[in-house]
Amino acid sequence: MNTTVRSDPIILTIPHDQLPNINTFLTKEWLVTNGLGGYASSTLLGAPTRRYHGLFIPDLPAPWGRTVLIPRLDEEIITDGESLLISGIEYEDGRLVSDLPRLLTEFCREWQTPVWRIAAKGRRLEKRIIMAHGDNSVYVEYRLLEGEPLQLRLRPFLTFRTLSAQISESCQPAFPPTLLDGRFELWLCEDVPPLRMCVRSPKQQFSFRMDTVTSRGVCYRVDRDRGSEYVEDLSSPGYFTVELTQGQPVSFVASTESWDRLEYEAQDIIDAEAQRLSALLVHIDESEKDNMERWLTLAADQFIVIPASRVDVHAPHASADEPCTVIAGYHWFTDWGRDTMISLEGLTLCTGRYREARSILRTFGQYVRDGLLPNLFPEGKRQALYHTVDATLWYFHALDRYYQITGDRETLLTLYPVLISIIDHHVKGTHFGIKVDEHDGLLHAGAEGYQLTWMDAKVGDWVVTPRRGKPVEIQALWYNALRCMADWGSVVGNSSERWTGMASHAAQAFNRRFWDHDLGYLLDVIDGEQGDDNSLRPNQILAISLPHPILEEAKWRPVLDVVAGRLLTHVGLRSLDPAHRDYKGTYFGDLRARDAAYHQGTVWAWLIGPFLDAWLKTHGNLTMGRQMLEGFRAHLLDEGIGTISEIFDADPPYYPRGCIAQAWSVAEVLRVWQKTKEATVG
């Protein structure tokens, strides 16, 4: 294994000729994160198209969570008596104001940093945005690469709106701003650190002019198309002015850290991030010419965070590890138990981040209640919600993968009592109707008004895919958990007889009751409210893909053939057979329309992982397996540049939807990309 830290950056480039019109500037998005849950994100144009966009969205202490503080920064270059706007804004009346489309020569992503290269009036300049890892700070650096000096005018627009709030719930800071020696400070409210802004210039020649401006009727087109509030009035307290000359880069800085933490130049942050990210790639052989694994490894890093908004309430740990968790998706998801456990192998074990994997497992172990792992932590809240049946079972799988790779017996011993308690609660029965049926050994789950599996769309009181009863993948996960417990028995010095017996009982009933001979695939749910459900869904793949498959081997190939023929696309698996009466080919419209399609056809990228696990077990064809992943290469330059979306339309052209960056999408593609690597070796 190569252990040399790279000096040259990993770059994804979009030349100007691949941005043929203004729409492409508005549909391609960038994301920068800080390892604390905070982020900066917008479009290539710099015009926010979502209420989740902003230059500075830190994760503030509970009860706030991630909060939009700077939704927009207007950037003007003033030269030869002309002002050119190198950012952008769209208004409710349809006006789109920006000079960037005719000035941009190239956009690229260096490491995780978005970089714009601009030519204007005989000058060439460069802009990049970076966040300090572990700090709630953002830096926007400007460099003049060629030409005479020019003037920069930077006008930040401010708000105070939590990420989960509607636009109408935005509020202005409660206290007046202060300005001293070019340092702008604004107290947002009593229990939140102040917003601090300044310009860092080598010559220290800049000014801030107090000049309150309200930009009315700002339009967020994605929210408009999603049937949400989409018009906002944004206010700016004033603007910074600074001269930009060759060899003298300047930076706009915004932060909620103390002033002494802001004494660094942007280049210091850039260099520190390059070194940190380069170290994440040491497990990849330098001779590997294909950068796909490197891109995915960098994308994976953005989801692993210290949960800043609730770090003070974590229970003491048996190790000195900082508590870690996984942001399920940007922009709006927090950390979800299910997503975290599915993602753990790809995000941490495939990238050599064993310490973070251990911390995640131990952190979530502290939150197990009544035999259940948390479903999610709501934005800014310290208390978890537990309405899930599969997150807890995925926990066993994640721990198994961790132990198989690291051999960390101490962590297994520490968590083993938690695991026994989980099994006992499932046998006796716990919340939401989760209980083992003593007659067949299978796991039942279901409670009115709750969505307990990963197919969890709900609008008001309408649970779109309730799947109450005995879902197919829950049995696969339950069996896998029992077999893992049997494997661990010898490690911890306990008998495995109980777990082996329970697993055998469940497997016998599963193979007898779930197989539909006429259809040639597995039922999706048995013993449901309406009887058995024979809808063709991808959930049955887990009966083959998991390390301990519950489905007897003779039926693997028929299941794979049906799923490949009717659900497989180049960006994942459809969530429902196109021939089904409830199938929805596009994920679009208001919340009700979108949730009606969420698991009723919509393609999920993460499912390519279990599918390829099952495919390789059945067919063993690494080359074909690798070919099934090639569709994601082009997608890295699509909606969220350098990352993978949550979902896609079920019908061609499979337009990306949902979160622009999804943890389990990145994790599972990375994991099986590594798994199929042998196909390209030699």
Side-chain angles (χ1 to χ4, degrees):
M1 178 184 294
N2 173 62
T3 57
T4 303
V5 175
R6 296 178 64 98
S7 57
D8 53 316
I10 305 300
I11 301 176
L12 273 172
T13 301
I14 303 179
H16 187 269
D17 59 9
Q18 293 184 20
L19 298 167
N21 54 56
I22 197 70
N23 190 58
T24 55
F25 280 84
L26 288 168
T27 56
K28 295 183 185 296
E29 302 175 47
W30 54 268
L31 171 71
V32 177
T33 59
N34 67 354
L36 297 175
Y39 68 87
S41 181
S42 190
T43 62
L44 262 60
L45 194 68
T49 57
R50 309 174 186 266
R51 71 176 189 268
Y52 304 106
H53 278 158
L55 179 66
F56 187 42
I57 303 176
D59 190 11
L60 299 178
W64 304 104
R66 290 172 295 180
T67 304
V68 182
L69 298 186
I70 304 180
R72 162 183 158 200
L73 177 68
D74 281 5
E75 304 156 295
E76 294 178 84
I77 55 175
I78 302 170
T79 179
D80 300 336
E82 184 178 0
S83 173
L84 299 171
L85 184 65
I86 60 171
S87 56
I89 195 66
E90 184 174 16
Y91 293 97
E92 183 184 12
D93 61 8
R95 286 178 298 135
L96 187 58
V97 182
S98 178
D99 295 300
L100 185 64
R102 64 185 177 89
L103 303 178
L104 185 73
T105 60
E106 182 182 78
F107 176 88
C108 67
R109 182 178 182 265
E110 293 186 359
W111 300 111
Q112 294 176 353
T113 303
V115 181
W116 292 257
R117 296 192 174 100
I118 296 166
K121 296 288 186 177
R123 283 98 166 160
R124 289 193 307 111
L125 63 150
E126 186 177 270
K127 179 186 87 170
R128 63 184 64 219
I129 300 174
I130 194 165
M131 298 190 86
H133 192 76
D135 269 7
N136 278 318
S137 305
V138 64
Y139 291 72
V140 187
E141 186 199 57
Y142 306 87
R143 290 177 178 267
L144 184 62
L145 305 178
E146 182 180 295
E148 296 298 314
L150 55 81
Q151 191 177 65
L152 272 177
R153 181 177 294 168
L154 307 172
R155 178 183 283 278
F157 287 81
L158 310 181
T159 190
F160 186 64
R161 168 167 47 84
T162 61
L163 204 61
S164 57
Q166 295 296 316
I167 290 173
S168 58
E169 297 175 306
S170 300
C171 62
Q172 292 302 309
F175 302 96
T178 60
L179 183 66
L180 180 63
D181 296 330
R183 292 177 167 185
F184 180 97
E185 187 170 285
L186 179 64
W187 285 89
L188 305 164
C189 65
E190 291 182 357
D191 56 350
V192 171
L195 171 64
R196 297 183 169 100
M197 296 186 296
C198 66
V199 166
R200 294 196 58 81
S201 166
K203 298 180 180 180
Q204 295 298 312
Q205 294 178 351
F206 60 88
S207 63
F208 181 86
R209 180 179 178 182
M210 298 290 287
D211 177 37
T212 301
V213 167
T214 299
S215 181
R216 301 192 183 280
V218 175
C219 174
Y220 302 129
R221 58 164 58 189
V222 174
D223 290 299
R224 177 194 62 201
D225 294 343
R226 291 164 64 94
S228 301
E229 290 183 77
Y230 66 93
V231 179
E232 185 171 27
D233 295 340
L234 296 176
S235 295
S236 168
Y239 59 87
F240 293 92
T241 303
V242 62
E243 185 179 66
L244 184 63
T245 61
Q246 286 190 55
Q248 302 288 322
V250 301
S251 303
F252 169 81
V253 185
S255 179
T256 56
E257 305 290 346
S258 59
W259 282 114
D260 62 298
R261 297 287 292 272
L262 305 182
E263 293 303 316
Y264 298 101
E265 299 295 337
Q267 189 60 52
D268 297 327
I269 307 300
I270 293 168
D271 292 343
E273 267 297 272
Q275 184 174 11
R276 186 185 72 84
L277 295 172
S278 182
L280 298 180
L281 304 178
V282 296
H283 67 287
I284 303 174
D285 195 320
E286 274 292 318
S287 64
E288 175 67 51
K289 301 303 182 184
D290 191 329
N291 269 332
M292 186 72 170
E293 186 177 351
R294 297 184 181 94
W295 292 331
L296 292 171
T297 299
L298 295 178
D301 174 68
Q302 295 187 308
F303 301 100
I304 302 171
V305 305
I306 298 170
S309 62
R310 63 174 192 276
V311 70
D312 58 317
V313 298
H314 277 281
H317 287 256
S319 72
D321 295 336
E322 286 185 298
C324 281
T325 191
V326 169
I327 294 294
Y330 293 96
H331 305 90
W332 50 84
F333 284 133
T334 59
D335 42 344
W336 289 60
R338 173 191 305 114
D339 300 56
T340 298
M341 296 309 141
I342 292 174
S343 302
L344 184 133
E345 183 175 2
L347 297 186
T348 63
L349 302 179
C350 291
T351 58
R353 302 179 71 162
Y354 307 139
R355 180 184 61 80
E356 287 92 337
R358 178 180 63 205
S359 177
I360 290 168
L361 289 168
R362 292 188 176 212
T363 296
F364 271 84
Q366 298 287 342
Y367 283 105
V368 171
R369 300 288 183 272
D370 299 324
L372 297 178
L373 202 75
N375 188 34
L376 78 153
F377 293 89
E379 187 73 58
K381 305 297 183 183
R382 292 175 172 175
Q383 298 300 317
L385 301 179
Y386 287 85
H387 54 294
T388 174
V389 60
D390 55 344
T392 313
L393 304 178
W394 278 111
Y395 187 59
F396 287 79
H397 175 68
L399 178 59
D400 176 54
R401 302 309 303 142
Y402 172 77
Y403 180 72
Q404 291 292 328
I405 292 172
T406 67
D408 181 0
R409 185 170 179 269
E410 178 189 353
T411 293
L412 180 59
L413 288 170
T414 298
L415 296 177
Y416 196 71
V418 176
L419 304 177
I420 292 178
S421 174
I422 289 172
I423 299 290
D424 288 343
H425 275 90
H426 281 62
V427 170
K428 295 175 183 176
T430 186
H431 306 290
F432 312 111
I434 298 172
K435 186 180 187 303
V436 173
D437 185 334
E438 61 183 19
H439 295 100
D440 58 17
L442 299 176
L443 189 60
H444 177 279
E448 187 70 30
Y450 287 96
Q451 65 283 32
L452 301 178
T453 72
W454 80 275
M455 292 187 160
D456 58 357
K458 183 180 180 183
V459 184
D461 294 330
W462 177 39
V463 178
V464 183
T465 50
R467 304 182 72 228
R468 292 189 280 269
K470 298 171 182 172
V472 62
E473 81 279 14
I474 301 307
Q475 313 317 314
L477 288 162
W478 173 241
Y479 175 81
N480 189 68
L482 293 171
R483 288 288 305 274
C484 286
M485 291 293 284
D487 291 345
W488 296 330
S490 59
V491 179
V492 301
N494 284 355
S495 170
S496 297
E497 185 176 349
R498 178 192 178 194
W499 319 122
T500 303
M502 292 173 65
S504 177
H505 187 200
Q508 290 175 17
F510 179 90
N511 284 281
R512 183 177 69 254
R513 300 199 57 202
F514 272 89
W515 178 253
D516 189 307
H517 177 77
D518 294 332
L519 295 174
Y521 60 79
L522 297 173
L523 301 174
D524 190 57
V525 181
I526 66 170
D527 297 344
E529 296 166 311
Q530 307 299 323
D532 297 345
D533 181 1
N534 65 3
S535 301
L536 175 60
R537 294 188 182 274
N539 304 305
Q540 61 191 294
I541 284 296
L542 293 179
I544 307 171
S545 66
L546 290 168
H548 299 288
I550 191 172
L551 181 63
E552 55 191 29
E553 190 170 349
K555 296 182 174 68
W556 291 2
R557 188 176 290 270
V559 167
L560 261 294
D561 289 346
V562 171
V563 171
R566 290 155 70 175
L567 301 182
L568 180 65
T569 75
H570 73 290
V571 283
L573 300 186
R574 295 184 181 94
S575 48
L576 184 63
D577 182 5
H580 196 282
R581 64 183 180 277
D582 294 330
Y583 175 80
K584 303 290 190 301
T586 57
Y587 179 87
F588 190 75
D590 61 18
L591 179 61
R592 187 176 182 86
R594 296 196 313 275
D595 276 349
Y598 205 31
H599 302 103
Q600 303 289 59
T602 297
V603 172
W604 289 77
W606 80 271
L607 290 169
I608 198 65
F611 177 82
L612 279 179
D613 288 333
W615 174 272
L616 295 175
K617 281 183 179 181
T618 306
H619 296 278
N621 190 327
L622 289 171
T623 300
M624 186 171 291
R626 172 58 64 89
Q627 291 172 354
M628 292 180 188
L629 295 170
E630 281 297 326
F632 293 101
R633 186 188 298 275
H635 177 63
L636 290 178
L637 293 175
D638 206 348
E639 186 164 75
I641 297 170
T643 189
I644 300 178
S645 294
E646 175 191 9
I647 51 177
F648 300 80
D649 282 346
D651 291 342
Y654 307 109
Y655 191 83
R657 305 286 188 181
C659 288
I660 67 166
Q662 190 79 358
W664 58 11
S665 299
V666 171
E668 284 297 274
V669 173
L670 173 56
R671 183 180 65 79
V672 290
W673 184 269
Q674 287 188 354
K675 192 169 185 175
T676 57
K677 185 183 294 188
E678 295 176 37
T680 60
V681 174

